[in-house]
Amino acid sequence: PRSSTAWSTTFFATSTVLRDAREIPEGAVLETDVCIIGAGAAGITLARELARAPCRVTVLESGRLTASRRTQRLLRGDRAGVPYFPLDWIRTAALGGTTDQWGGQCRPLDEIDFEARPEIPGSGWPFGRAHLLPYYERAQAICQLGPFDYDAAAWRDPATEPPLPFEGDRARTAIFQLSPPVRFGLTYREDLARAAGVTVHLGASATELEVADGGRTVSHVRVACFRGPRFRVAARLVVLAAGGIETPRLLLLSNRVHPAGLGNAHDLVGRHFMEHLHLDGGTFEPGDPAFSPALYQPHLVGSTCIKGALVLSPETLRQEGLLGYSALLESRRPTGLSPWRRVARRLLPDGVLWRIRTRRARRLRNRGWEPAGRGALQRRPMTLTVHTRMEQAPNPESRVTLGTGLDALGRRRVRLDWRLAALDRRSMRRALAILGEEVARAGLGRWEAGLDGDDLRWPVLPFGGHHHMGTTRMHPDPRRGVVDEHGRVHGTTNLYVAGPSVFPTVGYATPMLTIVALALRLADHVQARLA
């Protein structure tokens, strides 16, 4: 039971349970070693790793165990530039964050994605892919994936067709592994509840970072609850793990000492917002009537679910000066009733024959056959949709800022101004053209690109992968990045950022595996600092 005598002005966060932040007294101060703001993939991974160290960890999550309309309203914001989804649709305020919307596709970044390429301004990571490999291997288990091997040759399955046999090395097949997918809030909830020294406060929204030491050290995190108390958290280290939109928002809101926002001395916080560009870019009709697209559809190899995609080789990307690009081949099934289904309708009262024949017809259609009458079968022309997923170039004009409206906690809402550059459009069109050239050269079938050269008509509808990256980019030079190579915010002594907002470039691979790998790397660094 809640009692005023059960609390002191300073509350030591040493419990190991998930708590409702509304039970904390008004004006209380929670003391801890590490305060993690956000309980998504990065925040939960970091908390689980730090639970093994002799330190106290406090996690602040604005949502509760599941999303609600009330907490989702806190994520609303304004949009400008390229049409985009409503901001409260594509993020989730709940334990586990937006992993509840995740489709499960995983792949590490390629070596070229870490390189500083002259044709891509702002590209280059402070380290190469080899440095991140040990953390990628650890992230595989957390994301519940198979062996850390993404070579297409290693996943040859006798039950499926081999990869498309391109001539030369301009195009190839890349492999994605698929997680179940892991819902971090559900899968790792018990781990958090049992972790010694870890406390997760639900319904606790960070509103401001208070600074001391001339504005270099975060002394307290101000926290507010919807229709509840306001309190503060004092921590030795603070980690922002709230995603690519909320993290820059909180830095910009913390402007009492630094008028432009914390870590924003060079006006970089919120800039370089990047998304993965998703678009149906055309069609592919295989020339071989026996071709099966099974390799390019989700399927099991042993106990691991994989999926193939068409990509351009690193050499081609360098020669052409293009961004990372991948094409997913998706089956397009004919509409209308087949003869088998018309027969099945007549047999509905029987039931048994209906089930047998419809199942057989479904298997035949999946293999590319269709009934031709009187028991005969014919191979129908197969048309596959080319669904493109491409990286976006770093663009300082694509940015997150503060809007004019206020949310229910009195914070200024966020404003997303998403911009595309000429390199984005050129890469999309040229990548589709190159794949078409390679399909024709190898005699694999007919490839039709669905994009023309009219920049004004692309895109006309919201598109993207719900991947919000780059808004607190990583670079050793504070004039070119918000955080250093360890994720520490430039100009501060104890403030770190975890999550996709630190990506300098994003490649074509989905970001989840890299998010978890960077969180593991940051956990090692934080433990070393605390020691």
Side-chain angles (χ1 to χ4, degrees):
R2 189 171 181 178
S3 171
S4 59
T5 60
W7 297 85
S8 60
T9 304
T10 301
F11 173 75
F12 290 87
T14 59
S15 174
T16 59
V17 297
L18 307 180
R19 290 192 166 186
D20 188 337
R22 292 175 297 183
E23 297 300 316
I24 298 176
E26 179 74 27
V29 178
L30 284 63
E31 292 190 356
T32 187
D33 292 314
V34 181
C35 177
I36 301 172
I37 300 174
I44 289 178
T45 298
L46 187 60
R48 292 178 69 241
E49 290 297 310
L50 294 180
R52 304 172 184 175
C55 64
R56 299 168 298 172
V57 179
T58 297
V59 181
L60 303 176
E61 170 54 49
S62 63
R64 302 191 180 278
L65 293 180
T66 57
S68 67
R69 290 183 180 179
R70 184 172 64 185
T71 54
Q72 286 299 111
R73 292 192 189 102
L74 298 176
L75 302 178
R76 291 178 176 174
D78 301 324
R79 294 162 291 162
V82 176
Y84 198 58
F85 308 101
L87 300 185
D88 55 327
W89 287 14
I90 53 175
R91 298 176 292 156
T92 303
L95 186 68
T98 313
T99 61
D100 73 335
Q101 301 182 22
W102 179 37
Q105 293 190 42
C106 285
R107 180 180 170 84
L109 295 175
D110 294 337
E111 181 62 45
I112 191 175
D113 299 325
F114 293 86
E115 297 176 1
R117 299 172 57 191
E119 63 272 21
I120 303 178
S123 61
W125 287 58
F127 45 82
R129 186 176 185 268
H131 172 76
L132 212 54
L133 284 179
Y135 301 102
Y136 272 137
E137 293 180 8
R138 292 166 58 185
Q140 286 281 119
I142 294 174
C143 294
Q144 297 183 2
L145 301 169
F148 184 68
D149 192 341
Y150 289 85
D151 185 358
W155 294 97
R156 289 292 300 272
D157 183 4
T160 62
E161 296 289 333
L164 287 171
F166 290 109
E167 296 181 0
D169 59 356
R170 299 183 76 198
R172 65 186 185 187
T173 295
I175 295 297
F176 286 81
Q177 293 189 30
L178 278 73
S179 170
V182 175
R183 308 302 183 199
F184 277 64
L186 180 62
T187 303
Y188 297 117
R189 182 182 305 174
E190 291 301 318
D191 288 1
L192 295 175
R194 291 193 303 263
V198 176
T199 304
V200 180
H201 294 283
L202 302 176
S205 299
T207 60
E208 184 184 352
L209 303 175
E210 295 182 355
V211 294
D213 187 25
R216 290 176 49 82
T217 302
V218 176
S219 59
H220 295 85
V221 179
R222 288 183 175 270
V223 185
C225 302
F226 189 83
R227 295 181 181 176
R230 292 177 179 262
F231 57 93
R232 297 187 298 166
V233 178
R236 294 171 59 189
L237 297 178
V238 177
V239 181
L240 305 182
I245 295 178
E246 289 303 307
T247 291
R249 179 191 185 190
L250 184 56
L251 290 172
L252 295 173
L253 287 171
S254 305
N255 57 4
R256 291 178 187 262
V257 175
H258 302 283
L262 190 56
N264 200 28
H266 299 281
D267 191 26
L268 291 176
V269 172
R271 291 190 181 272
H272 302 96
F273 173 85
M274 292 176 285
E275 246 278 27
H276 278 126
L277 311 181
H278 284 235
L279 192 69
D280 286 343
T283 59
F284 170 51
E285 295 182 7
D288 183 0
F291 172 77
S292 170
L295 175 63
Y296 301 94
Q297 314 298 315
H299 64 284
L300 286 174
V301 177
S303 59
T304 304
C305 188
I306 69 167
K307 180 179 183 178
L310 303 181
V311 301
L312 302 181
S313 67
E315 294 75 17
T316 303
L317 297 179
R318 294 189 186 96
Q319 292 172 3
E320 298 275 350
L322 303 179
L323 300 165
Y325 174 89
S326 65
L328 307 177
L329 302 182
E330 301 178 349
S331 298
R332 177 184 294 176
R333 296 180 178 176
T335 59
L337 290 178
S338 68
W340 285 107
R341 293 192 67 181
R342 286 196 291 268
V343 170
R345 282 196 166 186
R346 298 194 194 102
L347 299 174
L348 269 174
D350 187 12
V352 177
L353 287 176
W354 179 83
R355 284 192 295 271
I356 292 175
R357 294 189 177 185
T358 52
R359 287 175 183 173
R360 180 171 183 266
R362 188 180 300 114
R363 288 196 301 269
L364 292 171
R365 286 197 302 272
N366 291 340
R367 295 173 184 174
W369 297 92
E370 66 179 4
R374 292 187 176 273
L377 297 173
Q378 66 181 9
R379 175 72 69 170
R380 60 175 167 79
M382 179 183 298
T383 300
L384 301 174
T385 299
V386 179
H387 183 80
T388 65
R389 178 170 54 216
M390 190 189 77
E391 78 168 308
Q392 179 183 356
N395 181 0
E397 299 306 315
S398 180
R399 64 186 304 190
V400 171
T401 58
L402 296 179
T404 56
L406 302 179
D407 65 12
L409 300 178
R411 302 175 299 180
R412 289 177 64 182
R413 293 195 180 276
V414 74
R415 181 177 185 269
L416 172 62
D417 187 357
W418 187 24
R419 304 288 183 90
L420 298 178
L423 179 58
D424 302 323
R425 294 175 168 86
R426 185 177 74 83
S427 293
M428 179 74 79
R429 291 197 302 270
R430 183 59 185 145
L432 281 167
I434 291 174
L435 285 178
E437 293 168 5
E438 294 305 299
V439 166
R441 183 165 69 144
L444 300 177
R446 181 182 179 187
W447 183 281
E448 287 190 359
L451 297 178
D452 56 27
D454 187 357
D455 287 344
L456 299 178
R457 298 182 58 187
W458 178 80
V460 296
L461 294 173
F463 73 131
H466 304 183
H467 304 154
H468 312 135
M469 304 166 286
T471 50
T472 60
R473 65 196 325 263
M474 183 188 300
H475 200 282
D477 186 348
R479 294 167 297 182
R480 300 178 63 185
V482 177
V483 303
D484 66 10
E485 63 273 19
H486 300 296
R488 180 180 58 85
V489 175
H490 286 297
T492 69
T493 62
N494 67 336
L495 179 61
Y496 290 82
V497 176
S501 63
V502 305
F503 291 12
T505 51
V506 301
Y508 66 82
T510 49
M512 181 60 72
L513 198 64
T514 305
I515 292 172
V516 176
L518 288 176
L520 293 170
R521 177 177 178 268
L522 178 58
D524 288 353
H525 177 76
V526 168
Q527 291 182 52
R529 277 206 60 179
L530 293 176

